[in-house]
């Protein structure tokens, strides 16, 4: 048996705010809030399912430079344009990371400027 990614840890300055944003983006719920301020979010089924949970861990260090790892997300119940509009209303912002403008995806940043991409394909 191989390993599976079960959790992704995201250092951030405001774990509550970022957890709330990503819960809205992904349809996740808050699974746990730790005393030191970390917030774990995940699918309704909780930890251990097919999707990894996300843990937003508090840090005082500001984000520096482009992330080496980023999320790609796909809409599940609407087309890419409608999902882009929804994400922008949630607080995502367009980002320029050197793309040509001809890409079939949109590069965005979350409320703490972490890059992520909205892909064209709709997933069920």
């Amino acid at each position: 048996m191989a390993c599976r990614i079960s959790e992704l840890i995201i250092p951030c300055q405001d774990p509550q705010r970022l957890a709330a944003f990503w819960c809205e983006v992904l349809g996740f719920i808050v699974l746990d809030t730790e005393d030191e301020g970390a917030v774990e979010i995940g699918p309704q089924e909780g930890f251990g399912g097919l999707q990894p949970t996300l843990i937003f861990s508090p840090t005082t260090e500001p984000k520096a430079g482009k992330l080496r790892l980023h999320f790609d997300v796909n809409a599940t119940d609407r087309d890419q344009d409608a999902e882009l509009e929804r994400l922008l209303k949630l607080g995502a912002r367009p980002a320029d990371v050197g793309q040509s403008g001809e890409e079939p995806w949109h590069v965005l940043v979350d409320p703490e400027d972490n890059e992520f991409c909205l892909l064209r394909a709709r997933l069920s």
Side-chain angles (χ1 to χ4, degrees):
M1 171 128 195
C3 289
R4 190 174 78 205
I5 296 173
S6 59
E7 301 171 328
L8 296 171
I9 313 303
I10 299 105
C12 60
Q13 296 194 352
D14 188 343
Q16 292 285 339
R17 179 177 179 214
L18 219 50
F21 173 81
W22 281 104
C23 277
E24 289 293 324
V25 170
L26 300 171
F28 279 9
I29 61 169
V30 173
L31 299 173
D32 190 26
T33 301
E34 297 179 5
D35 290 340
E36 69 277 354
V39 180
E40 181 176 15
I41 68 170
Q44 296 278 340
E45 306 82 50
F47 176 82
L50 294 177
Q51 297 183 77
T53 62
L54 306 178
I55 299 175
F56 298 96
S57 179
T59 183
T60 57
E61 296 178 22
K63 177 184 172 272
K66 184 179 172 191
L67 294 177
R68 294 182 76 179
L69 172 75
H70 71 268
F71 297 124
D72 285 343
V73 298
N74 298 71
T76 59
D77 61 353
R78 66 198 78 200
D79 67 21
Q80 185 187 42
D81 290 338
E83 184 63 1
L84 176 62
E85 184 177 327
R86 184 182 83 87
L87 295 174
L88 293 172
K89 286 180 182 175
L90 290 175
R93 297 180 317 282
D96 182 357
V97 295
Q99 63 268 39
S100 69
E102 300 299 317
E103 294 82 5
W105 62 82
H106 295 277
V107 180
L108 304 167
V109 293
D110 70 14
E112 289 202 13
D113 294 329
N114 298 304
E115 299 90 2
F116 69 100
C117 295
L118 171 62
L119 305 183
R120 180 177 292 167
R122 185 186 309 182
L123 300 178
S124 55

PDB file of all heavy atoms in Angstrom, residues 85-97:
ATOM      1  N   GLU A  85     -16.707  34.379 -10.909  1.00  0.00           N
ATOM      2  CA  GLU A  85     -17.481  35.459 -10.291  1.00  0.00           C
ATOM      3  C   GLU A  85     -17.739  35.161  -8.816  1.00  0.00           C
ATOM      4  O   GLU A  85     -17.607  36.034  -7.958  1.00  0.00           O
ATOM      5  CB  GLU A  85     -18.802  35.627 -11.040  1.00  0.00           C
ATOM      6  CG  GLU A  85     -19.639  36.770 -10.551  1.00  0.00           C
ATOM      7  CD  GLU A  85     -20.914  36.939 -11.365  1.00  0.00           C
ATOM      8  OE1 GLU A  85     -20.899  36.664 -12.576  1.00  0.00           O
ATOM      9  OE2 GLU A  85     -21.920  37.354 -10.761  1.00  0.00           O
ATOM     10  N   ARG A  86     -18.097  33.915  -8.496  1.00  0.00           N
ATOM     11  CA  ARG A  86     -18.353  33.525  -7.096  1.00  0.00           C
ATOM     12  C   ARG A  86     -17.097  33.677  -6.250  1.00  0.00           C
ATOM     13  O   ARG A  86     -17.130  34.225  -5.142  1.00  0.00           O
ATOM     14  CB  ARG A  86     -18.852  32.078  -7.042  1.00  0.00           C
ATOM     15  CG  ARG A  86     -19.241  31.613  -5.649  1.00  0.00           C
ATOM     16  CD  ARG A  86     -19.687  30.153  -5.664  1.00  0.00           C
ATOM     17  NE  ARG A  86     -18.568  29.246  -5.605  1.00  0.00           N
ATOM     18  CZ  ARG A  86     -17.988  28.804  -4.474  1.00  0.00           C
ATOM     19  NH1 ARG A  86     -18.432  29.207  -3.299  1.00  0.00           N
ATOM     20  NH2 ARG A  86     -16.969  27.971  -4.519  1.00  0.00           N
ATOM     21  N   LEU A  87     -15.954  33.218  -6.771  1.00  0.00           N
ATOM     22  CA  LEU A  87     -14.699  33.303  -6.017  1.00  0.00           C
ATOM     23  C   LEU A  87     -14.291  34.749  -5.772  1.00  0.00           C
ATOM     24  O   LEU A  87     -13.816  35.096  -4.683  1.00  0.00           O
ATOM     25  CB  LEU A  87     -13.590  32.542  -6.737  1.00  0.00           C
ATOM     26  CG  LEU A  87     -13.787  31.027  -6.841  1.00  0.00           C
ATOM     27  CD1 LEU A  87     -12.689  30.408  -7.701  1.00  0.00           C
ATOM     28  CD2 LEU A  87     -13.844  30.385  -5.476  1.00  0.00           C
ATOM     29  N   LEU A  88     -14.482  35.605  -6.761  1.00  0.00           N
ATOM     30  CA  LEU A  88     -14.150  37.022  -6.588  1.00  0.00           C
ATOM     31  C   LEU A  88     -15.043  37.659  -5.521  1.00  0.00           C
ATOM     32  O   LEU A  88     -14.574  38.461  -4.714  1.00  0.00           O
ATOM     33  CB  LEU A  88     -14.261  37.759  -7.919  1.00  0.00           C
ATOM     34  CG  LEU A  88     -13.227  37.352  -8.980  1.00  0.00           C
ATOM     35  CD1 LEU A  88     -13.553  38.008 -10.312  1.00  0.00           C
ATOM     36  CD2 LEU A  88     -11.810  37.658  -8.535  1.00  0.00           C
ATOM     37  N   LYS A  89     -16.311  37.275  -5.487  1.00  0.00           N
ATOM     38  CA  LYS A  89     -17.214  37.796  -4.452  1.00  0.00           C
ATOM     39  C   LYS A  89     -16.824  37.318  -3.059  1.00  0.00           C
ATOM     40  O   LYS A  89     -17.062  38.007  -2.074  1.00  0.00           O
ATOM     41  CB  LYS A  89     -18.660  37.405  -4.757  1.00  0.00           C
ATOM     42  CG  LYS A  89     -19.260  38.187  -5.892  1.00  0.00           C
ATOM     43  CD  LYS A  89     -20.694  37.767  -6.156  1.00  0.00           C
ATOM     44  CE  LYS A  89     -21.248  38.543  -7.339  1.00  0.00           C
ATOM     45  NZ  LYS A  89     -22.600  38.077  -7.696  1.00  0.00           N
ATOM     46  N   LEU A  90     -16.198  36.134  -2.974  1.00  0.00           N
ATOM     47  CA  LEU A  90     -15.755  35.601  -1.681  1.00  0.00           C
ATOM     48  C   LEU A  90     -14.490  36.290  -1.169  1.00  0.00           C
ATOM     49  O   LEU A  90     -14.125  36.136  -0.011  1.00  0.00           O
ATOM     50  CB  LEU A  90     -15.486  34.097  -1.788  1.00  0.00           C
ATOM     51  CG  LEU A  90     -16.700  33.204  -1.975  1.00  0.00           C
ATOM     52  CD1 LEU A  90     -16.260  31.756  -2.190  1.00  0.00           C
ATOM     53  CD2 LEU A  90     -17.634  33.304  -0.779  1.00  0.00           C
ATOM     54  N   GLY A  91     -13.800  37.021  -2.050  1.00  0.00           N
ATOM     55  CA  GLY A  91     -12.589  37.719  -1.624  1.00  0.00           C
ATOM     56  C   GLY A  91     -11.332  37.333  -2.377  1.00  0.00           C
ATOM     57  O   GLY A  91     -10.260  37.864  -2.092  1.00  0.00           O
ATOM     58  N   ALA A  92     -11.436  36.401  -3.332  1.00  0.00           N
ATOM     59  CA  ALA A  92     -10.273  36.090  -4.173  1.00  0.00           C
ATOM     60  C   ALA A  92      -9.991  37.297  -5.067  1.00  0.00           C
ATOM     61  O   ALA A  92     -10.896  38.095  -5.356  1.00  0.00           O
ATOM     62  CB  ALA A  92     -10.555  34.853  -5.029  1.00  0.00           C
ATOM     63  N   ARG A  93      -8.742  37.424  -5.486  1.00  0.00           N
ATOM     64  CA  ARG A  93      -8.353  38.508  -6.385  1.00  0.00           C
ATOM     65  C   ARG A  93      -7.518  37.935  -7.522  1.00  0.00           C
ATOM     66  O   ARG A  93      -6.766  36.978  -7.318  1.00  0.00           O
ATOM     67  CB  ARG A  93      -7.544  39.563  -5.638  1.00  0.00           C
ATOM     68  CG  ARG A  93      -8.322  40.254  -4.532  1.00  0.00           C
ATOM     69  CD  ARG A  93      -7.503  41.305  -3.787  1.00  0.00           C
ATOM     70  NE  ARG A  93      -6.129  40.950  -3.448  1.00  0.00           N
ATOM     71  CZ  ARG A  93      -5.760  40.160  -2.437  1.00  0.00           C
ATOM     72  NH1 ARG A  93      -6.650  39.604  -1.661  1.00  0.00           N
ATOM     73  NH2 ARG A  93      -4.483  39.918  -2.199  1.00  0.00           N
ATOM     74  N   PRO A  94      -7.625  38.522  -8.728  1.00  0.00           N
ATOM     75  CA  PRO A  94      -6.781  38.075  -9.839  1.00  0.00           C
ATOM     76  C   PRO A  94      -5.310  38.325  -9.511  1.00  0.00           C
ATOM     77  O   PRO A  94      -4.968  39.275  -8.811  1.00  0.00           O
ATOM     78  CB  PRO A  94      -7.220  38.946 -11.010  1.00  0.00           C
ATOM     79  CG  PRO A  94      -8.578  39.454 -10.631  1.00  0.00           C
ATOM     80  CD  PRO A  94      -8.568  39.558  -9.133  1.00  0.00           C
ATOM     81  N   ALA A  95      -4.446  37.457 -10.027  1.00  0.00           N
ATOM     82  CA  ALA A  95      -3.006  37.595  -9.792  1.00  0.00           C
ATOM     83  C   ALA A  95      -2.257  37.433 -11.108  1.00  0.00           C
ATOM     84  O   ALA A  95      -2.660  36.651 -11.973  1.00  0.00           O
ATOM     85  CB  ALA A  95      -2.528  36.544  -8.798  1.00  0.00           C
ATOM     86  N   ASP A  96      -1.196  38.171 -11.238  1.00  0.00           N
ATOM     87  CA  ASP A  96      -0.335  38.057 -12.412  1.00  0.00           C
ATOM     88  C   ASP A  96       0.954  37.376 -11.988  1.00  0.00           C
ATOM     89  O   ASP A  96       1.743  37.937 -11.234  1.00  0.00           O
ATOM     90  CB  ASP A  96      -0.037  39.455 -12.973  1.00  0.00           C
ATOM     91  CG  ASP A  96       0.819  39.413 -14.220  1.00  0.00           C
ATOM     92  OD1 ASP A  96       1.250  38.317 -14.643  1.00  0.00           O
ATOM     93  OD2 ASP A  96       1.068  40.497 -14.782  1.00  0.00           O
ATOM     94  N   VAL A  97       1.146  36.154 -12.470  1.00  0.00           N
ATOM     95  CA  VAL A  97       2.373  35.416 -12.184  1.00  0.00           C
ATOM     96  C   VAL A  97       3.162  35.176 -13.475  1.00  0.00           C
ATOM     97  O   VAL A  97       3.959  34.259 -13.556  1.00  0.00           O
ATOM     98  CB  VAL A  97       2.086  34.080 -11.448  1.00  0.00           C
ATOM     99  CG1 VAL A  97       1.493  34.336 -10.072  1.00  0.00           C
ATOM    100  CG2 VAL A  97       1.190  33.178 -12.280  1.00  0.00           C
TER     101      VAL A  97
END
